[in-house]
Amino acid sequence: MSTNTNNNSLYNVDDLQHIANELFKALPNEFPKEISLSPDHNDHPKATKVVETLLSAGNLEEFTPNTSLQNPTTAYPSHSPVSGFGVSPSVGSYANTGVTDLLPTDLDTVFPNDKKFNINNPNTGFSDVNLKRGNDSNAFSSFNLNDNYLPFQTQGSSFESELKEALTSVNTVFGIQSALVTNPTEIQSSYYFLEDNPFAFDKKSQLPALGHKNSFHEFNQLESAPFDANLIKKDFPILREKVNGKPLIWFDNAATTQKPKSVIDRIAYFYEHENSNIHRAAHELAARASDAYEAAREKVKTFLNAGSINEIVFVRGATEGINLIAQSWGENNLSVGDEIVVSNLEHHANIVPWKRLADKKGLKLRIIPVDDDGQILLDEYAKLLNSKTKIVAFTQVSNALGTVTPAKKMVEMAQAVGARVLLDGAQSVSHMKVDVQDLNADWLVFSGHKIFGPTGIGVLYGKEDLLNGMQPYQSGGNMIQDVTFEEIKYHKAPNRFEAGTGNIADAIGLGAAIDYVTKIGINAIGQYEHFLLEYATKLLKEIPGVRLIGTAANKASVLSFNLQGYSNDEVGQALNKEGIAVRTGHHCAQPILRRLGVETTVRPSLAFYNTTQDVDKFIETLWELKKVRF
Ligand code: PMP
């Protein structure tokens, strides 16, 4: 037997060891983070159990572990070239699905055919055990995990069930589910739901690097791995929190999103290894901090498909970005009688700065109306536009209703009368592809904390010439080229707008959040969330006394509603008792709620780590309320 393969030369020991490590790390435990295939080197019985399980699941009884195995930390360096910042991504996670982290296994041969298992939901294309809803005729029918058993399951200890759970997720990532169950169903090699496959990469080019000759099939297996929100959930430590004794269900994503471990780690890494002010020193840490900060800017540029990094200004958030435009461009380019157009859907952040400017300078603020579903009335919008219209500022997605506005069309219409356009992307960038060149807006703003990044950091995108023609918003250090008491020369954008010491660590954290979202694929995220929104909407509508506020044909993430017989606060509190976090109130968007006849709503808002199971719990709680008061 070769030292690196099993008896029929099909299995690479390093790979198997890596799988064992991935599996072990995915378990909710505090035990050693590296294990060896060699029984001698495992100092924990659970590690031994993991190895045994893998070996028996893989039908590798004849495999003899090699005691001179390569150190797994050398074989799979924790300084991942994919993430590039020397932090090991969390394990069993989508954050960890870069090419260098993927493990090839010749599944077809190593694992017998009669142990294959279909993990793809034929209706939706993503894996969600919760979608098993009775008979096959049901639209959501899928597979039943309980129909299958694992070799060690009969022992029934809590570790056994943890291990089973970890196997499920690790298997989903590594495509080895087939080995661990006994149902002789077929693995599907494709799924139609996701255009943007999180596992897609140039397989052929990776094969030599991974040292495998005949394993093209195994990559097809990986490609068929479905989008799995339950797996994504594991990347977000806070989602393991209990609230009132119940697992936290985070449905307040429109207010802020939770942060994956990779973002948390990245910020900690900055403070542990790179912390320095940027751009102003010759020393090593200043270089590290500056590089990391500028790399984050580059990531934002790519994410938005901006033309240049000079178009990306770091600000505190969407609010600061809008104020910057109002106070810099608006202050200097608008005069009495000019018109500002905003929509009825806007967040206060995109109303108040314009109203203040209008009052101060004698400008007219005009409002694009919406219909009863909360959709922009394009004909009415067209009537508002004229040669006095100098700027149109509107949101791409409404935070109170979820309406997706026809942004590209609206930008075109504004520009046809010579107006500038500011797009509020606070609620859009985390749910859909936002391409600033395609949209062609003059400016776009968003906040890091709504896209799985930190608070206190956000982005103003602006066309380069336009930014360079604008006066600074704040002034001081960093933004100047030269200062004398007679004259001050400013830098060009973006530095011109980044006066003082910025939020360096969180800009870098935002870069890590963008990496995370990019690895999953924004289109996959959008499609999954769309499914989840439809799923939740359908169930919510079935509850008597629910009034949905905002019923646009094109929506993202948000379900605003009232429940007859209950105040919104009562509903929020009842949900909180079950560990479900939703927002109640006016959502900083009073004009649109009043337009639809309400002062406040209950607003669950979804993200890609939410599952149908979360939705079911939420719906069940509302039904319980209905039982008490009709
Ligand atoms: N615009 C919209 C559409 C929003 O939803 C929000 C935040 N709720 C903002 C602007 C303001 O964002 P921030 O508070 O992060 O500056």
Side-chain angles (χ1 to χ4, degrees):
M1 189 180 10
S2 118
T3 49
N4 265 354
T5 55
N6 67 352
N7 62 332
N8 43 10
S9 300
L10 293 169
Y11 209 97
N12 182 304
V13 167
D14 295 338
D15 293 347
L16 189 59
Q17 177 156 320
H18 186 61
I19 293 173
N21 271 306
E22 296 300 325
L23 181 54
F24 195 59
K25 288 175 193 171
L27 291 167
N29 65 26
E30 67 290 358
F31 299 110
K33 289 300 177 197
E34 293 294 347
I35 58 175
S36 164
L37 279 186
S38 161
D40 305 342
H41 291 174
N42 281 329
D43 55 1
H44 198 283
K46 288 187 179 179
T48 308
K49 183 78 187 168
V50 170
V51 173
E52 277 169 21
T53 302
L54 261 179
L55 293 178
S56 66
N59 236 11
L60 297 172
E61 298 88 350
E62 295 180 50
F63 169 83
T64 312
N66 175 1
T67 44
S68 62
L69 285 169
Q70 213 179 343
N71 179 344
T73 50
T74 325
Y76 301 94
S78 64
H79 279 242
S80 154
V82 173
S83 52
F85 51 77
V87 175
S88 246
S90 56
V91 177
S93 78
Y94 273 85
N96 200 23
T97 54
V99 170
T100 52
D101 300 312
L102 286 172
L103 250 296
T105 54
D106 197 342
L107 299 168
D108 233 13
T109 338
V110 172
F111 302 134
N113 283 337
D114 66 354
K115 288 191 175 177
K116 286 193 174 174
F117 184 61
N118 178 4
I119 55 172
N120 292 320
N121 180 321
N123 297 300
T124 62
F126 46 80
S127 168
D128 185 340
V129 287
N130 191 50
L131 288 178
K132 167 76 180 166
R133 297 185 159 266
N135 302 327
D136 278 351
S137 56
N138 189 301
F140 294 119
S141 76
S142 178
F143 59 88
N144 184 356
L145 201 60
N146 299 325
D147 289 342
N148 308 295
Y149 60 88
L150 301 174
F152 49 85
Q153 207 175 333
T154 45
Q155 295 177 33
S157 72
S158 77
F159 176 66
E160 302 300 334
S161 59
E162 282 176 3
L163 183 54
K164 179 189 165 193
E165 200 192 304
L167 281 167
T168 310
S169 37
V170 173
N171 294 340
T172 307
V173 168
F174 292 102
I176 58 171
Q177 182 104 29
S178 57
L180 302 160
V181 293
T182 53
N183 258 15
T185 47
E186 226 194 345
I187 288 185
Q188 289 187 344
S189 61
S190 67
Y191 53 101
Y192 65 83
F193 181 71
L194 303 178
E195 285 166 15
D196 194 356
N197 182 348
F199 294 92
F201 56 90
D202 182 357
K203 294 176 289 186
K204 263 188 185 155
S205 70
Q206 295 307 321
L207 288 175
L210 291 163
H212 282 255
K213 287 184 184 126
N214 299 312
S215 49
F216 202 73
H217 175 74
E218 68 213 15
F219 286 92
N220 284 335
Q221 298 279 2
L222 290 175
E223 210 168 55
S224 75
F227 184 99
D228 187 340
N230 285 294
L231 178 53
I232 286 173
K233 228 177 212 217
K234 289 176 190 260
D235 288 346
F236 293 76
I238 205 168
L239 298 179
R240 293 196 280 274
E241 229 18 55
K242 294 237 160 105
V243 170
N244 293 321
K246 310 281 167 59
L248 170 66
I249 294 176
W250 187 254
F251 276 173
D252 199 12
N253 294 291
T256 199
T257 54
Q258 300 301 350
K259 322 304 169 199
K261 184 80 165 59
S262 58
V263 168
I264 298 167
D265 284 350
R266 184 61 188 93
I267 295 167
Y269 185 86
F270 172 78
Y271 284 120
E272 286 172 4
H273 301 283
E274 299 166 333
N275 181 42
S276 162
N277 211 326
I278 51 172
H279 299 317
R280 278 187 301 229
H283 58 72
E284 168 68 18
L285 292 196
R288 285 187 201 170
S290 303
D291 285 355
Y293 183 75
E294 291 306 325
R297 197 191 303 280
E298 181 76 41
K299 286 170 191 184
V300 175
K301 180 220 142 198
T302 305
F303 184 65
L304 295 179
N305 191 31
S308 155
I309 50 166
N310 299 331
E311 299 185 320
I312 306 300
V313 179
F314 283 121
V315 290
R316 202 159 53 85
T319 302
E320 188 174 54
I322 297 167
N323 276 278
L324 189 160
I325 301 303
Q327 287 176 40
S328 166
W329 184 86
E331 194 61 68
N332 293 295
N333 289 277
L334 301 178
S335 48
V336 181
D338 284 345
E339 295 182 2
I340 299 169
V341 173
V342 300
S343 90
N344 205 342
L345 291 169
E346 298 315 305
H347 186 278
H348 296 165
N350 204 22
I351 298 173
V352 181
W354 300 116
K355 172 74 177 138
R356 290 181 70 206
L357 192 67
D359 290 350
K360 181 177 171 192
K361 295 179 70 88
L363 316 170
K364 190 165 177 187
L365 188 61
R366 306 190 75 183
I367 315 301
I368 312 167
V370 298
D371 65 16
D372 293 345
D373 292 313
Q375 303 175 114
I376 295 280
L377 289 166
L378 278 179
D379 290 348
E380 298 300 317
Y381 170 50
K383 288 183 205 158
L384 295 178
L385 298 170
N386 61 62
S387 60
K388 284 188 269 175
T389 314
K390 291 296 181 308
I391 180 166
V392 178
F394 68 96
T395 191
Q396 209 178 354
V397 174
S398 149
N399 71 307
L401 310 183
T403 308
V404 179
T405 60
K408 192 171 173 182
K409 174 91 189 142
M410 290 173 72
V411 172
E412 264 171 37
M413 289 166 72
Q415 287 170 347
V417 297
R420 296 284 182 197
V421 183
L422 166 61
L423 250 190
D424 179 352
Q427 296 291 344
S428 60
V429 289
S430 59
H431 303 296
M432 60 185 66
K433 176 72 197 153
V434 172
D435 178 331
V436 288
Q437 294 194 57
D438 181 51
L439 287 164
N440 200 29
D442 297 284
W443 305 281
L444 179 135
V445 293
F446 73 89
S447 300
H449 71 100
K450 291 188 202 272
I451 183 163
F452 317 103
T455 50
I457 190 73
V459 169
L460 163 68
Y461 154 84
K463 289 180 178 166
E464 193 167 356
D465 290 350
L466 187 55
L467 288 180
N468 285 331
M470 282 164 54
Q471 288 298 307
Y473 166 55
Q474 294 179 340
S475 45
N478 258 352
M479 47 80 73
I480 47 80
Q481 240 173 29
D482 194 69
V483 176
T484 65
F485 288 113
E486 287 69 43
E487 194 194 3
I488 294 165
K489 287 191 185 133
Y490 306 124
H491 273 309
K492 289 187 166 180
N495 300 35
R496 159 182 302 235
F497 299 105
E498 292 182 1
T501 299
N503 190 348
I504 303 163
D506 291 320
I508 295 165
L510 173 58
I514 286 175
D515 281 345
Y516 184 83
V517 166
T518 305
K519 268 184 191 164
I520 294 176
I522 191 72
N523 291 334
I525 290 170
Q527 288 171 72
Y528 172 70
E529 287 179 351
H530 183 71
F531 158 77
L532 200 62
L533 185 66
E534 290 205 328
Y535 178 85
T537 305
K538 179 176 171 291
L539 294 175
L540 191 59
K541 275 179 165 168
E542 285 169 5
I543 301 172
V546 162
R547 181 191 161 199
L548 260 177
I549 316 286
T551 44
N554 196 1
K555 280 182 60 170
S557 169
V558 171
L559 297 132
S560 249
F561 70 97
N562 296 144
L563 181 64
Q564 201 184 15
Y566 287 89
S567 76
N568 293 324
D569 283 347
E570 284 176 322
V571 177
Q573 281 156 18
L575 290 166
N576 184 54
K577 269 199 191 134
E578 297 303 319
I580 304 169
V582 299
R583 189 133 301 234
T584 58
H586 57 52
H587 320 305
C588 298
Q590 287 178 307
I592 186 58
L593 292 190
R594 288 185 178 141
R595 160 66 183 83
L596 299 182
V598 292
E599 280 294 316
T600 62
T601 68
V602 183
R603 185 195 65 179
S605 50
L606 311 173
F608 59 84
Y609 42 60
N610 295 132
T611 62
T612 52
Q613 209 168 0
D614 296 343
V615 171
D616 289 355
K617 184 76 208 154
F618 159 73
I619 296 288
E620 252 171 61
T621 311
L622 296 182
W623 275 106
E624 289 301 318
L625 286 180
K626 262 341 259 184
K627 275 190 211 157
V628 181
R629 268 185 233 163
F630 286 92

Short mmCIF file of all heavy atoms in Angstrom, two decimals, residues 173-200:
data_model
loop_
_atom_site.label_atom_id
_atom_site.label_comp_id
_atom_site.label_asym_id
_atom_site.label_seq_id
_atom_site.Cartn_x
_atom_site.Cartn_y
_atom_site.Cartn_z
N VAL A 173 -20.96 20.95 2.05
CA VAL A 173 -19.86 21.68 1.45
C VAL A 173 -18.99 20.76 0.61
O VAL A 173 -18.65 21.06 -0.51
CB VAL A 173 -19.00 22.35 2.54
CG1 VAL A 173 -17.71 22.87 1.95
CG2 VAL A 173 -19.75 23.48 3.17
N PHE A 174 -18.65 19.62 1.18
CA PHE A 174 -17.66 18.81 0.50
C PHE A 174 -18.26 17.72 -0.39
O PHE A 174 -17.53 16.98 -1.01
CB PHE A 174 -16.70 18.20 1.54
CG PHE A 174 -15.87 19.26 2.17
CD1 PHE A 174 -16.16 19.73 3.43
CD2 PHE A 174 -14.82 19.82 1.48
CE1 PHE A 174 -15.40 20.74 4.00
CE2 PHE A 174 -14.06 20.83 2.03
CZ PHE A 174 -14.35 21.28 3.30
N GLY A 175 -19.57 17.68 -0.44
CA GLY A 175 -20.20 16.77 -1.37
C GLY A 175 -20.05 15.31 -1.00
O GLY A 175 -20.08 14.44 -1.86
N ILE A 176 -19.88 15.01 0.29
CA ILE A 176 -19.68 13.61 0.66
C ILE A 176 -20.88 13.03 1.40
O ILE A 176 -20.79 12.01 2.02
CB ILE A 176 -18.41 13.41 1.51
CG1 ILE A 176 -18.49 14.25 2.78
CG2 ILE A 176 -17.18 13.72 0.71
CD1 ILE A 176 -17.39 13.94 3.78
N GLN A 177 -22.01 13.72 1.28
CA GLN A 177 -23.22 13.23 1.94
C GLN A 177 -23.51 11.79 1.51
O GLN A 177 -23.99 10.99 2.28
CB GLN A 177 -24.41 14.11 1.54
CG GLN A 177 -25.71 13.72 2.19
CD GLN A 177 -26.09 14.65 3.31
OE1 GLN A 177 -25.73 15.81 3.29
NE2 GLN A 177 -26.76 14.16 4.29
N SER A 178 -23.20 11.50 0.27
CA SER A 178 -23.51 10.19 -0.28
C SER A 178 -22.96 9.06 0.57
O SER A 178 -23.53 7.99 0.63
CB SER A 178 -22.93 10.08 -1.67
OG SER A 178 -21.54 10.32 -1.60
N ALA A 179 -21.87 9.31 1.24
CA ALA A 179 -21.22 8.24 1.95
C ALA A 179 -21.87 7.94 3.29
O ALA A 179 -21.61 6.92 3.88
CB ALA A 179 -19.77 8.60 2.20
N LEU A 180 -22.70 8.83 3.74
CA LEU A 180 -23.08 8.76 5.13
C LEU A 180 -24.52 8.36 5.35
O LEU A 180 -25.01 8.37 6.46
CB LEU A 180 -22.79 10.12 5.78
CG LEU A 180 -21.32 10.48 5.63
CD1 LEU A 180 -21.12 11.96 5.81
CD2 LEU A 180 -20.47 9.70 6.61
N VAL A 181 -25.20 8.05 4.31
CA VAL A 181 -26.58 7.63 4.43
C VAL A 181 -26.79 6.38 3.59
O VAL A 181 -25.96 6.03 2.77
CB VAL A 181 -27.53 8.75 3.96
CG1 VAL A 181 -27.46 9.92 4.90
CG2 VAL A 181 -27.17 9.17 2.56
N THR A 182 -27.91 5.77 3.79
CA THR A 182 -28.05 4.47 3.13
C THR A 182 -29.14 4.45 2.07
O THR A 182 -29.38 3.43 1.47
CB THR A 182 -28.36 3.39 4.17
OG1 THR A 182 -29.48 3.82 4.93
CG2 THR A 182 -27.19 3.16 5.08
N ASN A 183 -29.82 5.56 1.86
CA ASN A 183 -30.85 5.54 0.83
C ASN A 183 -30.24 5.50 -0.56
O ASN A 183 -29.46 6.37 -0.92
CB ASN A 183 -31.72 6.82 0.93
CG ASN A 183 -33.02 6.50 1.61
OD1 ASN A 183 -33.14 5.46 2.23
ND2 ASN A 183 -33.96 7.41 1.52
N PRO A 184 -30.60 4.52 -1.35
CA PRO A 184 -30.00 4.43 -2.67
C PRO A 184 -30.66 5.36 -3.68
O PRO A 184 -31.21 4.92 -4.66
CB PRO A 184 -30.20 2.97 -3.03
CG PRO A 184 -31.45 2.59 -2.32
CD PRO A 184 -31.53 3.43 -1.09
N THR A 185 -30.63 6.65 -3.38
CA THR A 185 -31.17 7.60 -4.36
C THR A 185 -30.01 8.26 -5.07
O THR A 185 -28.88 8.23 -4.60
CB THR A 185 -32.05 8.65 -3.67
OG1 THR A 185 -31.34 9.12 -2.55
CG2 THR A 185 -33.37 8.07 -3.24
N GLU A 186 -30.35 8.92 -6.13
CA GLU A 186 -29.28 9.42 -6.99
C GLU A 186 -28.86 10.85 -6.65
O GLU A 186 -29.68 11.68 -6.34
CB GLU A 186 -29.80 9.43 -8.42
CG GLU A 186 -28.83 8.84 -9.39
CD GLU A 186 -29.23 9.17 -10.81
OE1 GLU A 186 -30.37 9.58 -11.05
OE2 GLU A 186 -28.36 9.00 -11.66
N ILE A 187 -27.58 11.12 -6.72
CA ILE A 187 -27.14 12.50 -6.56
C ILE A 187 -27.38 13.23 -7.87
O ILE A 187 -27.01 12.76 -8.93
CB ILE A 187 -25.65 12.57 -6.22
CG1 ILE A 187 -25.44 12.09 -4.79
CG2 ILE A 187 -25.10 13.98 -6.40
CD1 ILE A 187 -24.02 12.22 -4.31
N GLN A 188 -28.04 14.36 -7.78
CA GLN A 188 -28.25 15.14 -9.01
C GLN A 188 -27.01 15.97 -9.27
O GLN A 188 -26.44 16.55 -8.37
CB GLN A 188 -29.44 16.08 -8.83
CG GLN A 188 -30.74 15.32 -8.80
CD GLN A 188 -31.93 16.25 -8.79
OE1 GLN A 188 -31.78 17.43 -8.51
NE2 GLN A 188 -33.08 15.72 -9.08
N SER A 189 -26.65 16.05 -10.52
CA SER A 189 -25.41 16.78 -10.80
C SER A 189 -25.66 18.22 -11.16
O SER A 189 -24.75 18.98 -11.37
CB SER A 189 -24.66 16.08 -11.92
OG SER A 189 -25.47 16.10 -13.05
N SER A 190 -26.93 18.63 -11.23
CA SER A 190 -27.15 20.04 -11.51
C SER A 190 -28.39 20.50 -10.78
O SER A 190 -29.23 19.71 -10.39
CB SER A 190 -27.35 20.24 -13.01
OG SER A 190 -28.55 19.63 -13.38
N TYR A 191 -28.50 21.78 -10.58
CA TYR A 191 -29.72 22.33 -10.01
C TYR A 191 -29.96 23.66 -10.69
O TYR A 191 -29.05 24.43 -10.93
CB TYR A 191 -29.61 22.47 -8.49
CG TYR A 191 -28.44 23.23 -7.99
CD1 TYR A 191 -28.58 24.55 -7.59
CD2 TYR A 191 -27.17 22.65 -7.92
CE1 TYR A 191 -27.50 25.27 -7.12
CE2 TYR A 191 -26.10 23.36 -7.46
CZ TYR A 191 -26.27 24.67 -7.05
OH TYR A 191 -25.19 25.37 -6.59
N TYR A 192 -31.22 23.86 -11.02
CA TYR A 192 -31.50 24.99 -11.89
C TYR A 192 -31.72 26.28 -11.15
O TYR A 192 -31.70 27.35 -11.72
CB TYR A 192 -32.73 24.68 -12.75
CG TYR A 192 -34.00 24.53 -11.94
CD1 TYR A 192 -34.74 25.64 -11.57
CD2 TYR A 192 -34.43 23.28 -11.53
CE1 TYR A 192 -35.89 25.50 -10.81
CE2 TYR A 192 -35.57 23.14 -10.78
CZ TYR A 192 -36.31 24.24 -10.42
OH TYR A 192 -37.44 24.12 -9.68
N PHE A 193 -31.92 26.20 -9.86
CA PHE A 193 -32.35 27.40 -9.13
C PHE A 193 -31.27 28.48 -9.10
O PHE A 193 -31.55 29.66 -9.21
CB PHE A 193 -32.73 27.00 -7.70
CG PHE A 193 -33.21 28.17 -6.89
CD1 PHE A 193 -34.43 28.73 -7.17
CD2 PHE A 193 -32.42 28.69 -5.89
CE1 PHE A 193 -34.88 29.80 -6.43
CE2 PHE A 193 -32.87 29.75 -5.15
CZ PHE A 193 -34.10 30.31 -5.42
N LEU A 194 -30.05 28.04 -8.94
CA LEU A 194 -28.98 29.01 -8.78
C LEU A 194 -28.23 29.22 -10.08
O LEU A 194 -27.65 28.30 -10.62
CB LEU A 194 -27.98 28.52 -7.73
CG LEU A 194 -28.56 28.25 -6.35
CD1 LEU A 194 -27.48 27.74 -5.44
CD2 LEU A 194 -29.17 29.50 -5.78
N GLU A 195 -28.24 30.43 -10.57
CA GLU A 195 -27.40 30.74 -11.71
C GLU A 195 -25.98 30.95 -11.24
O GLU A 195 -25.01 30.67 -11.90
CB GLU A 195 -27.85 32.07 -12.34
CG GLU A 195 -29.10 31.96 -13.14
CD GLU A 195 -29.65 33.34 -13.43
OE1 GLU A 195 -28.92 34.35 -13.27
OE2 GLU A 195 -30.81 33.40 -13.81
N ASP A 196 -25.90 31.48 -10.03
CA ASP A 196 -24.62 31.94 -9.54
C ASP A 196 -24.15 30.93 -8.49
O ASP A 196 -24.40 31.06 -7.32
CB ASP A 196 -24.87 33.31 -8.90
CG ASP A 196 -23.59 34.04 -8.65
OD1 ASP A 196 -22.52 33.47 -8.88
OD2 ASP A 196 -23.67 35.16 -8.20
N ASN A 197 -23.51 29.90 -8.93
CA ASN A 197 -23.17 28.79 -8.06
C ASN A 197 -22.01 29.14 -7.14
O ASN A 197 -20.92 29.47 -7.61
CB ASN A 197 -22.78 27.61 -8.96
CG ASN A 197 -22.46 26.37 -8.16
OD1 ASN A 197 -22.31 26.44 -6.94
ND2 ASN A 197 -22.37 25.27 -8.83
N PRO A 198 -22.23 29.09 -5.83
CA PRO A 198 -21.16 29.47 -4.93
C PRO A 198 -19.93 28.59 -5.05
O PRO A 198 -18.86 28.97 -4.61
CB PRO A 198 -21.79 29.35 -3.55
CG PRO A 198 -22.99 28.50 -3.72
CD PRO A 198 -23.45 28.69 -5.13
N PHE A 199 -20.11 27.42 -5.62
CA PHE A 199 -18.96 26.53 -5.73
C PHE A 199 -18.32 26.56 -7.10
O PHE A 199 -17.42 25.79 -7.38
CB PHE A 199 -19.40 25.09 -5.41
CG PHE A 199 -19.84 24.95 -3.99
CD1 PHE A 199 -21.16 25.12 -3.66
CD2 PHE A 199 -18.93 24.69 -2.99
CE1 PHE A 199 -21.58 25.02 -2.35
CE2 PHE A 199 -19.34 24.58 -1.69
CZ PHE A 199 -20.67 24.74 -1.37
N ALA A 200 -18.83 27.41 -7.94
CA ALA A 200 -18.33 27.39 -9.31
C ALA A 200 -16.92 27.95 -9.38
O ALA A 200 -16.63 29.00 -8.85
CB ALA A 200 -19.26 28.20 -10.19
#
